[in-house]
Amino acid sequence: MKLQRKNRLRATALGALAVSGALVLTACGSDDNSGETSATGGTTKAASNVKCDGAKGQLRASGSSAQKNAMDLWVKEYMAACSGVEINYNSSSSGEGIVAFNQGTVGFAGSDSALKPEEVAESKKICKTGQGINLPMVGGPIAIGFHLDGVDSLTLDAPTLAKIFDTKIKKWNDEAIAKLNPDAKLPDKAIQPFHRSEDSGTTQNLGKYLGAAAPQDWKYEAEKKWPAPGGQAASGSSGVASTVKQVDGSIGYFELSYATSQQISTVDIDTGGSAPVKASSENASKAIAAAKVKGTGKDLALDLDYTTKADGAYPLVLVTYEVVCDTGNKAETLGTVKSFLTYTASADGQKLLTEAGYAPIPEEINAKVRETVAGLS
């Protein structure tokens, strides 16, 4: 049984890479993502439990690149189970996803931050009888990846990270970094911080963390647009990760799955707890489990605690939301939206998150997501 499971996971991962490549190519070329057609033949155990009731035709979605690797797996599994249905997810950015949603060009959007009041107001033009709501679907750590020849392990705290990304700390052998890493041979090398070039929910979540955990050192509002001077920009989480992978002396932020797939070293965060905390799905889950629903009505936006000192809780986390209309969804895509999101919020769908380096949404919250999806109209 263990061998069969390993083979199944290996096949799933290889399939995800194929879907990922197709989505990346179409995203780079245009907004028209044709995607992969559904595989023929047998399905995996997860796919066999997908309920395709009401699903038909093509569903376009776009937004968060943070959830791209999860979405690749979900799309592959879903399309293998639902013959004749095509899901095209354009992993652009959270900001672009919300714009597309409020223009009515996608069935749902992925966003690493909840809708702002003005975005909710704008959504009412598209949702007609309702408004846009946030459904938490993907959790996970924002990894701080670094590339420093001769240094494989690095611990930083929030104030030091804030000063690095604000270009106030400029050298790797700075006293603040050395104090946190007494056993490391830190070089007299310039730090090259990289950030996202486009509006990004990942950027906003990093800003929320730094603003909460290092308020004296990070004075910027938590916005999707990178706020600090200096540093260098790259497009998407994949672009930041690829650049950090290549450039000695660099540091950047992206979802753990990007660090894992490209074998990029990640920073352990000193939260003030008993020991520095590694970026991992398990440690992110400990932090997300303490989240509270702050949304009202059918909106399930979450309030995260970025200042946790709980042992083993990784504080720099994000939750990606799927943004949909509570009522007033387009009739031609409503069935597919409900069917697909029912699968992603299912036990099988959430299980894939851990296998891909993400953190599942806590079951108490996820049960509310499934109930809300079932009631979409």
Side-chain angles (χ1 to χ4, degrees), residues 16-54:
L17 288 174
V19 176
S20 172
L23 290 175
V24 169
L25 289 173
T26 52
C28 291
S30 71
D31 288 336
D32 182 15
N33 286 347
S34 58
E36 288 280 315
T37 57
S38 130
T40 58
T43 63
T44 67
K45 179 180 178 182
S48 69
N49 292 329
V50 174
K51 293 179 172 57
C52 307
D53 300 343

Side-chain angles (χ1 to χ4, degrees), residues 182-258:
D183 298 326
K185 295 182 179 179
L186 299 169
D188 183 16
K189 182 186 294 289
I191 298 174
Q192 299 191 55
F194 284 87
H195 58 263
R196 293 280 290 274
S197 59
E198 72 287 354
D199 286 3
S200 160
T202 310
T203 295
Q204 188 171 38
N205 278 276
L206 174 65
K208 289 178 180 178
Y209 164 71
L210 294 176
Q216 299 304 313
D217 300 293
W218 191 258
K219 301 293 187 180
Y220 307 101
E221 292 294 325
E223 300 290 347
K224 292 177 182 176
K225 183 178 181 62
W226 181 255
Q232 301 176 63
S235 177
S237 291
S238 59
V240 176
S242 296
T243 305
V244 170
K245 173 75 172 178
Q246 297 169 9
V247 178
D248 183 28
S250 62
I251 189 169
Y253 58 94
F254 33 80
E255 294 65 47
L256 180 62
S257 59
Y258 290 93

